[in-house]
């Protein structure tokens, strides 16, 4: 709550700054607006922005750094005795943080003497009442650390108040004193705005960096515990939260690629023929109806497709195909997920291909007709070859979507990893349940997770692999489109 | 001349009226090829219709609910032993204290209507286990009512509800430990007596989620609020940042390495699998920055990062579509570059930017995978507080609620999940229609 007040205080100062800066500029020009370098409001904005920007910047920085700093200090002061054999320092620290937070919630004051057993067990029940459930009794050392943590946080918060207000007032004073009729206020304000625009554009880079760094960081932890050879070259996926699990990516990758292959086998012919028909044969009326209808498929959230796979397609395939053919009796299967994902991908293939086919110039068609080719011969022998790079690009983009797709496979493909030692028959049976990289990322990272165990960290390695594969496919697709695009000018 | 007629009359190789073998083959190939296209389009549209029909068929039942109306006597010696109507004292009576009242009321209804069914046990099981809590809340809110007899409308249990929706039959009830065929007969008798009815149920949209064995009282309230909060965060973050980034890239950015890097990044981020953004959110916002799990603020931040490129791309197109003559005119009368952009270009590009924004929001609304990783799958029964504090309270989101319900054993939850999908699709349809209207109304051709 105090943070809200600080923000409001800074905003109020900025508002005052706007009014005062504006009137000071007017006063210095003697009320004659033509004597000013810029419009009066720019002088006001200049003061307001000089108050706001450094103050909020400092606040954001402080809020980021303070917890890390206090954590490190308390953690180093924590006696080794408080960290027992069965736990780690970081787990104890999370207890400390929770106790400290709970103490703040129930507003407990520090007792006069050192806390004894009775006080601590009473405290535990009071914390439980406030919604802070603790597994074990509170260790005295943890309690002391929590008290120090609270004190540190409180001091940090007051220091932040002082520092932020000082910066705000300083900015106010400097910019206010600089304000006079010859000050180039518009240029200054516009430079400030330009910096804001650049910062906004840079967020894309920061996001990419954030993705790569966060995954690299945790993946490094994973490979410290688990040899990378086992991860990339092993053939068994069997996580075991008691330790000693075999975590190899190949069985998951097989599932991912197999499902994506089926999805593409569904989506590419349908999408491509739909695009050809829409751009070459369809009357304007059919096109106006069919094209949006197909594009609706792209706007449907993947969870809807997932549910469709789970409650409709899965049981249907099982009852009419898998069981009569003796191929299995699981409703979640490679075929279920692949088929539904294929439906999802139809609009990706069709609308991209449609654009590309439309971009082939009419003169090529006319030339072909003039030589006596039928319409389908023209399409097969002239238009498709001319549009091929674009179509390949569209297929690659669809493949990258298929590989990264999560909800359809979570609900439709099952959770059992492919087992290479069961023989090729089970591996290629499309009615067998099979899991994918994305499913395992979800299952390893949901629920109670312990960020020190390789079973959890493996999700980051899987995520990084997924990121690299999809990125590679996207870059390749864009490169093919650029490299082989015919220039018709 | 004679040579030519002689040549022509000798042996006409082809006729305009009868096609030769090769032409027939080529024409057949042409027809086949065209047919493939028709089949492809038909398949795509049939798939769309099949999907819609399947969801509608499974989900429409979620909006209907079976209710039982009972006359319950609010016995004073059970609910308020001291007789002073003090809510604090009455709150000590737990829901277990209310169950016998419902049981008695049920027995009375059975007797009053002269219903006799052999082997009927536990007629009160027709009513949801949530009924006692419902009654307790009512009594605590109206302590003066104790001692009176008044009608209560209780939600029927999930199996009874399923019976009227065709999910439960006499045969399946015989094998079910939660319901017996006799209880179903009782339900039919009550229906004939007018004490039981199945009707439209708005509460599906407002109730919070319920536990595993009470599908009949689960609803979407918390999920809708959670989704709404996340959309607010996305709107507050992605719109200004996206527009600022597009303005910079279109109007100010010099052609250099840095600009290229930004452009490549934006187009790649648009194609990164959504689950990767979930990993980012987990690692940065929860593990590093220490924000709470399951909170709409984290979900909103993750979805903002994901939506950003999807807003920037149409926004840039909209800014680019504003003709240079507008800019030149503004610059010509002495506006600065910044004034030109903010006073002239941006207002003209606004409809296009808004359309892109709405479509981006619609995509964010349906996104599930990243939210699973940041703990939005938790079971949440408490409505989050109002913003801004509510942004840090646990909540779920509409698509995640669907996922949650698919993971539960009771088949009644499948119906609930499909119903939730219908709600989600209605929201998406409204948003997309809005985008189409905006586009057709304000689109300007220069």
């Amino acid at each position: 709550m105090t943070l809200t007040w600080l923000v409001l205080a800074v905003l109020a100062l900025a508002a005052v700054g706007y009014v005062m800066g504006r009137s000071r500029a007017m006063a210095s020009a003697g009320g004659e607006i033509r004597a000013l370098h810029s419009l009066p409001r720019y002088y006001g904005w200049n003061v307001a922005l000089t108050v706001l920007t450094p103050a909020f910047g400092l606040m954001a920085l402080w809020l980021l750094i303070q917890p890390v700093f206090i954590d490190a200090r308390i953690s180093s002061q924590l006696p080794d005795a408080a960290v027992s054999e069965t736990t780690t320092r970081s787990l104890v620290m999370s207890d400390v943080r929770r106790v400290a937070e709970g103490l703040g919630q129930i507003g407990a004051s520090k007792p006069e003497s050192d806390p004894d057993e009775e006080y601590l067990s009473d405290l535990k029940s009071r914390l439980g009442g406030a919604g802070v459930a603790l597994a074990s009794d509170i260790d005295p050392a943890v309690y002391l650390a929590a008290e120090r943590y609270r004190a540190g946080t409180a001091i940090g918060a007051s220091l932040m108040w002082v520092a932020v207000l000082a910066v705000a007032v300083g900015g106010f004073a400097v910019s206010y004193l600089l304000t006079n009729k010859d000050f180039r206020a518009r240029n200054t304000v516009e430079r400030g705005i330009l910096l804001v625009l650049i910062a906004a554009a840079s967020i894309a880079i920061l996001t990419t960096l954030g993705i790569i760094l966060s995954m690299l960081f945790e993946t490094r932890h994973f490979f410290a515990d688990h040899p990378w050879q086992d991860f990339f070259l092993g053939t068994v996926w069997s996580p075991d939260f008691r330790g000693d699990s075999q975590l190899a990516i190949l069985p998951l990758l097989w599932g991912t690629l197999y499902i994506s292959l089926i999805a593409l086998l569904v989506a590419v012919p349908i999408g491509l023929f739909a695009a050809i028909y829409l751009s070459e044969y369809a009357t304007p009326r059919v096109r106006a109806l069919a094209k949006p209808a197909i594009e609706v498929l792209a706007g449907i959230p993947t969870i809807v497709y997932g549910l469709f796979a789970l409650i409709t397609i899965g049981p249907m395939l099982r009852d009419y195909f898998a069981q009569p053919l003796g191929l299995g009796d699981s409703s979640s299967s490679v075929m279920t997920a692949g088929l539904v994902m294929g439906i999802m991908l139809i609009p990706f293939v069709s609308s991209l291909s449609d654009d590309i086919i439309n971009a082939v110039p009419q003169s090529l068609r006319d030339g072909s007709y003039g030589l006596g080719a039928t319409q389908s011969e023209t399409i097969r022998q002239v238009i498709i070859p001319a549009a091929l790079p674009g179509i390949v690009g569209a297929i690659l983009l669809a493949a990258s979507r298929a590989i990264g797709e999560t909800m359809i496979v979570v609900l439709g493909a099952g959770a059992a990893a492919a087992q290479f030692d069961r023989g090729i028959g089970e591996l290629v049976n499309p009615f067998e349940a099979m899991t994918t990289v994305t499913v395992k990322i979800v299952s390893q990272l949901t629920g109670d997770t312990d960020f020190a165990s390789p079973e959890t960290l493996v999700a980051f390695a899987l995520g990084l692999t997924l990121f690299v594969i999809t990125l590679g496919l996207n870059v390749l697709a864009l490169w093919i489109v650029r490299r082989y695009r015919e220039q018709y000018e | 001349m004679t040579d030519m007629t002689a040549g022509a009359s000798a042996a006409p190789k082809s006729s305009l009226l009868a096609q030769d073998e090769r032409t027939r083959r080529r024409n057949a190939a042409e027809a086949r090829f065209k047919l493939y296209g028709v089949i492809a389009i038909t398949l795509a549209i049939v798939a769309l219709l099949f999907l819609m029909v399947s969801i509608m068929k499974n989900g429409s039942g979620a909006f209907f609910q079976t209710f039982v109306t009972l006359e319950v006597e609010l016995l004073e010696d059970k609910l308020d032993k001291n007789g002073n109507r003090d809510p604090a004292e009455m709150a000590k009576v737990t829901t277990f204290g209310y169950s016998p009242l419902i049981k008695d009321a049920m027995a009375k209804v059975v007797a009053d209507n002269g219903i006799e069914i052999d082997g009927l046990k536990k007629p009160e099981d027709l009513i949801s286990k949530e009924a006692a809590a419902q009654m307790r809340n009512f009594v605590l809110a109206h302590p003066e009512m104790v001692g009176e007899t008044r009608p209560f409308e209780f939600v029927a249990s999930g199996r009874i509800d399923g019976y009227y929706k065709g999910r439960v039959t006499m045969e399946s009830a015989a094998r079910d430990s939660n319901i017996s065929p006799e209880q179903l007969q009782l339900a039919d008798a009550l229906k004939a007596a007018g004490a039981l009815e199945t009707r439209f149920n708005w509460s599906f949209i407002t109730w919070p989620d319920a536990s595993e064995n009470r599908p009949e009282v689960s609803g979407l309230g918390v999920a809708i609020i959670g989704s709404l909060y996340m959309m607010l965060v996305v709107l507050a973050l992605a719109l200004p940042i996206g527009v600022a980034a597009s303005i910079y890239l279109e109007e100010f950015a010099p052609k250099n390495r840095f600009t290229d890097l930004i452009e490549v990044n934006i187009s790649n981020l648009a194609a990164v699998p959504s689950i990767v953004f979930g990993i980012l959110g987990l690692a940065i916002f929860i593990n590093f920055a220490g924000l709470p799990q399951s909170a709409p603020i984290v979900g909103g931040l993750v979805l903002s990062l994901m939506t950003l490129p999807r807003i920037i791309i149409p926004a840039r197109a909209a800014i680019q579509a504003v003709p240079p003559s507008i800019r030149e005119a503004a610059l010509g009368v002495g506006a600065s570059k910044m004034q030109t952009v903010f006073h002239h270009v941006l207002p003209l590009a606004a409809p296009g930017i808004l359309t892109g924004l709405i479509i981006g929001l619609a995509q964010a609304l349906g996104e599930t995978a990243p939210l699973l990783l940041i703990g939005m799958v938790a079971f949440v029964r408490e409505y989050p507080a109002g913003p801004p504090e509510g942004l840090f309270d646990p909540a779920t989101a509409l698509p995640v609620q669907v996922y949650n319900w698919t993971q539960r054993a009771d088949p009644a939850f499948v119906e609930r999940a499909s119903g939730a999908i219908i709600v989600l699709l209605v929201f998406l349809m409204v948003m997309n229609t809005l985008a189409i209207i905006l586009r057709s109304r304000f689109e300007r051709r220069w």
Side-chain angles (χ1 to χ4, degrees):
Chain A
M1 212 57 224
T2 52
L3 195 63
T4 320
W5 283 113
L6 183 55
V7 171
L8 285 179
V10 173
L11 283 177
L13 195 62
V16 173
Y18 178 86
V19 176
M20 283 177 65
R22 194 179 185 281
S23 54
R24 181 174 161 101
M26 288 299 276
S28 76
E32 179 58 51
I33 198 166
R34 278 171 299 175
L36 289 171
H37 168 268
S38 314
L39 288 171
R41 62 166 182 273
Y42 281 105
Y43 293 92
W45 276 116
N46 179 43
V47 179
L49 288 177
T50 332
V51 172
L52 287 179
T53 323
F56 281 148
L58 180 71
M59 197 180 334
L61 213 61
W62 197 293
L63 287 175
L64 272 180
I65 291 173
Q66 179 182 305
V68 180
F69 179 73
I70 294 183
D71 244 39
R73 267 192 61 173
I74 304 287
S75 178
S76 67
Q77 285 174 359
L78 205 62
D80 284 331
V83 183
S84 66
E85 293 284 313
T86 53
T87 172
T88 63
R89 194 166 278 268
S90 66
L91 280 178
V92 175
M93 273 313 292
S94 82
D95 263 2
V96 169
R97 275 194 295 273
R98 286 173 59 197
V99 172
E101 198 181 318
L103 288 174
Q105 267 175 30
I106 60 175
S109 56
K110 203 174 174 182
E112 299 288 319
S113 58
D114 271 359
D116 52 5
E117 293 275 317
E118 199 181 331
Y119 178 81
L120 287 177
S121 70
D122 173 51
L123 187 68
K124 188 188 169 210
S125 61
R126 279 166 66 199
L127 286 176
V132 184
L134 293 165
S136 56
D137 282 334
I138 303 171
D139 191 281
V142 169
Y143 174 76
L144 287 178
E147 280 292 357
R148 275 204 301 275
Y149 192 93
R150 258 185 88 193
T153 313
I155 294 173
S158 352
L159 276 180
M160 183 177 77
W161 258 88
V162 174
V164 168
L165 279 185
V167 168
V169 171
F172 183 98
V174 170
S175 57
Y176 183 74
L177 292 178
L178 275 179
T179 303
N180 66 52
K181 71 180 171 50
D182 293 324
F183 179 65
R184 296 162 69 83
R186 184 176 59 76
N187 307 45
T188 318
V189 170
E190 288 187 350
R191 206 175 309 126
I193 295 178
L194 188 63
L195 283 179
V196 171
L197 296 184
I198 294 177
S202 312
I203 290 206
I205 299 181
L206 283 183
T207 311
T208 311
L209 263 184
I211 289 175
I212 295 175
L213 285 184
S214 63
M215 288 200 294
L216 267 184
F217 189 68
E218 301 286 1
T219 305
R220 219 191 53 203
H221 282 211
F222 171 66
F223 284 135
D225 281 15
H226 198 92
W228 65 268
Q229 294 93 334
D230 285 5
F231 178 70
F232 285 113
L233 303 172
T235 53
V236 180
W237 171 271
S238 67
D240 185 342
F241 276 91
R242 282 162 304 185
D244 194 29
S245 18
Q246 288 181 284
L247 304 165
I249 195 175
L250 282 182
L252 307 181
L253 216 50
W254 169 253
T256 298
L257 294 179
Y258 194 11
I259 291 174
S260 307
L261 178 74
I262 291 185
L264 289 179
L265 286 180
V266 173
V268 170
I270 296 184
L272 202 53
F273 272 110
I276 290 171
Y277 185 84
L278 285 179
S279 55
E280 296 292 318
Y281 289 104
T283 58
R285 262 187 64 190
V286 171
R287 190 180 156 86
L289 282 176
K291 197 173 155 68
I294 292 178
E295 272 163 11
V296 167
L297 284 172
I300 294 176
T302 56
I303 180 81
V304 182
Y305 286 105
L307 193 73
F308 182 55
L310 182 76
I311 65 178
T312 310
I313 297 288
M316 214 171 75
L317 285 178
R318 181 194 57 199
D319 295 346
Y320 296 110
F321 292 93
Q323 279 178 340
L325 294 174
L327 287 172
D329 44 14
S330 148
S331 75
S332 45
S333 66
V334 172
M335 201 59 175
T336 308
L339 208 60
V340 175
M341 203 189 280
I343 297 175
M344 182 194 85
L345 292 177
I346 291 172
F348 283 93
V349 178
S350 77
S351 45
L352 278 174
S353 310
D354 191 22
D355 292 347
I356 293 154
I357 291 172
N358 276 331
V360 175
Q362 187 62 27
S363 60
L364 264 72
R365 291 184 185 87
D366 294 344
S368 172
Y369 297 148
L371 290 173
T374 65
Q375 206 169 356
S376 65
E377 286 163 351
T378 307
I379 293 167
R380 268 179 302 188
Q381 290 161 15
V382 177
I383 296 177
I384 298 287
L388 198 59
I391 292 173
V392 171
I395 294 172
L396 287 179
L397 284 181
S400 121
R401 289 287 298 213
I403 289 172
E405 176 45 49
T406 309
M407 289 326 290
I408 296 177
V409 285
V410 164
L411 292 175
Q419 285 169 312
F420 288 132
D421 51 352
R422 292 263 191 91
I424 193 89
E426 213 162 286
L427 271 186
V428 298
N429 178 359
F431 293 102
E432 199 73 43
M434 212 175 272
T435 199
T436 68
V437 175
T438 48
V439 174
K440 285 301 152 193
I441 294 177
V442 170
S443 68
Q444 301 309 101
L445 284 181
T446 45
D448 289 327
T449 47
D450 161 17
F451 280 92
S453 75
E455 287 77 19
T456 301
L457 291 175
V458 68
F460 291 93
L462 291 175
L464 192 61
T465 317
L466 185 71
F467 179 73
V468 170
I469 293 175
T470 50
L471 191 70
L473 278 176
N474 293 332
V475 172
L476 183 66
L478 289 180
W479 181 77
I480 288 179
V481 171
R482 282 207 191 128
R483 173 79 172 71
Y484 292 102
R485 184 191 294 155
E486 301 277 344
Q487 296 290 338
Y488 307 105
E489 288 299 328
Chain B
M1 199 63 182
T2 44
D3 283 355
M4 278 183 77
T5 28
S9 65
K13 282 202 170 154
S14 68
S15 146
L16 282 175
L17 301 174
Q19 293 179 342
D20 65 5
E21 179 59 23
R22 186 178 152 77
T23 313
R24 247 200 316 280
R25 245 192 2 250
R26 286 179 65 198
N27 284 352
E30 172 72 30
R32 262 202 318 276
F33 195 80
K34 199 170 164 181
L35 185 67
Y36 295 151
V38 175
I39 291 174
I41 294 203
T42 319
L43 276 179
I45 292 177
V46 164
L48 174 69
L49 290 179
F50 186 38
L51 185 139
M52 289 296 177
V53 169
S54 138
I55 298 286
M56 291 293 160
K57 201 177 95 247
N58 280 300
S60 54
F63 295 92
F64 292 90
Q65 198 73 48
T66 308
F67 292 89
V68 182
T69 312
L70 292 181
E71 292 282 336
V72 183
E73 192 180 356
L74 301 172
L75 292 170
E76 183 166 7
D77 58 332
K78 286 262 172 65
L79 304 182
D80 190 14
K81 287 199 179 82
N82 302 331
N84 53 13
R85 303 285 185 271
D86 178 10
E89 254 176 58
M90 286 160 67
K92 285 188 184 138
V93 180
T94 60
T95 51
F96 289 111
Y98 288 80
S99 303
L101 299 182
I102 298 174
K103 192 176 170 183
D104 293 347
M106 195 70 197
K108 190 159 165 290
V109 169
V110 172
D112 284 355
N113 287 306
I115 301 168
E116 282 180 20
I117 296 164
D118 283 341
L120 174 66
K121 283 179 199 137
K122 293 195 174 177
E124 68 276 9
D125 275 5
L126 256 64
I127 293 171
S128 166
K129 299 207 166 41
E130 195 72 17
Q134 183 194 341
M135 220 170 99
R136 180 168 181 263
N137 290 343
F138 174 83
V139 169
L140 292 183
H142 305 92
E144 70 283 357
M145 290 288 206
V146 172
E148 292 176 29
T149 302
R150 69 181 304 281
F152 276 91
E153 191 174 55
F154 296 121
V155 180
S157 82
R159 299 297 151 102
I160 297 295
D161 191 44
Y163 177 54
Y164 290 108
K165 290 171 183 168
R167 199 169 51 232
V168 176
T169 58
M170 288 290 174
E171 292 82 55
S172 74
R175 281 175 276 127
D176 195 332
S177 60
N178 291 323
I179 195 88
S180 66
E182 290 79 24
Q183 286 169 336
L184 293 184
Q185 286 170 22
L186 172 63
D188 278 337
L190 286 178
K191 190 170 179 132
L196 182 147
E197 62 162 345
T198 305
R199 60 175 166 76
F200 195 78
N201 177 30
W202 277 114
S203 316
F204 174 57
I205 295 173
T206 53
W207 277 335
D209 192 10
S211 65
E212 189 88 24
N213 43 18
R214 292 178 191 174
E216 65 275 4
V217 286
S218 59
L220 289 170
V222 176
I224 290 179
I225 296 181
S227 274
L228 182 76
Y229 281 2
M230 284 194 290
M231 290 305 109
L232 286 181
V233 175
V234 174
L235 193 67
L237 287 178
L239 177 65
I241 296 178
V243 171
S246 326
I247 291 177
Y248 177 71
L249 291 175
E250 278 303 317
E251 300 285 337
F252 294 100
K255 267 267 154 250
N256 60 18
R257 279 251 178 97
F258 180 68
T259 315
D260 277 353
L261 187 67
I262 294 177
E263 302 217 7
V264 169
N265 261 302
I266 288 174
S267 56
N268 278 330
L269 279 180
V272 167
S274 59
I275 189 151
V276 170
F277 285 95
I279 298 181
L280 169 82
L282 181 65
I284 303 246
F285 297 130
I286 292 181
N287 283 356
F288 181 71
L291 289 169
Q293 284 216 338
S294 320
I297 180 84
V298 181
L301 282 168
V302 170
L303 292 181
S304 301
L305 290 182
M306 215 186 71
T307 317
L308 210 48
R310 298 174 187 177
I311 291 179
I312 292 178
I313 293 168
R316 287 185 65 178
I319 293 174
Q320 212 168 29
V322 176
S325 55
I326 304 273
R327 298 184 183 82
E328 282 151 14
L331 293 172
V333 293
S336 71
K337 183 86 183 148
M338 202 62 84
Q339 286 166 335
T340 308
V341 170
F342 280 94
H343 298 177
H344 302 280
V345 177
L346 202 54
L348 288 172
I353 295 176
L354 267 182
T355 312
L357 171 77
I358 295 174
I359 292 174
L361 279 181
Q363 281 176 344
L365 182 64
E367 197 53 67
T368 322
L371 302 182
L372 296 183
L373 299 192
I374 55 166
M376 303 283 289
V377 272
F379 174 69
V380 185
R381 256 189 80 78
E382 303 282 319
Y383 293 101
E389 291 90 2
L391 293 178
F392 294 86
D393 286 349
T396 56
L398 260 178
V400 183
Q401 189 70 64
V402 174
Y403 170 75
N404 237 341
W405 282 341
T406 60
Q407 301 301 301
R408 297 191 186 164
D410 195 321
F413 279 114
V414 169
E415 179 193 274
R416 297 265 153 180
S418 304
I421 291 272
I422 295 178
V423 174
L424 179 65
L425 287 180
V426 166
F427 277 127
L428 293 183
M429 220 167 64
V430 169
M431 288 168 91
N432 281 306
T433 315
L434 197 67
I436 291 171
I437 292 174
L438 260 179
R439 179 154 41 188
S440 59
R441 212 177 141 78
F442 293 103
E443 193 176 48
R444 218 190 270 208
R445 297 230 172 259
W446 301 97

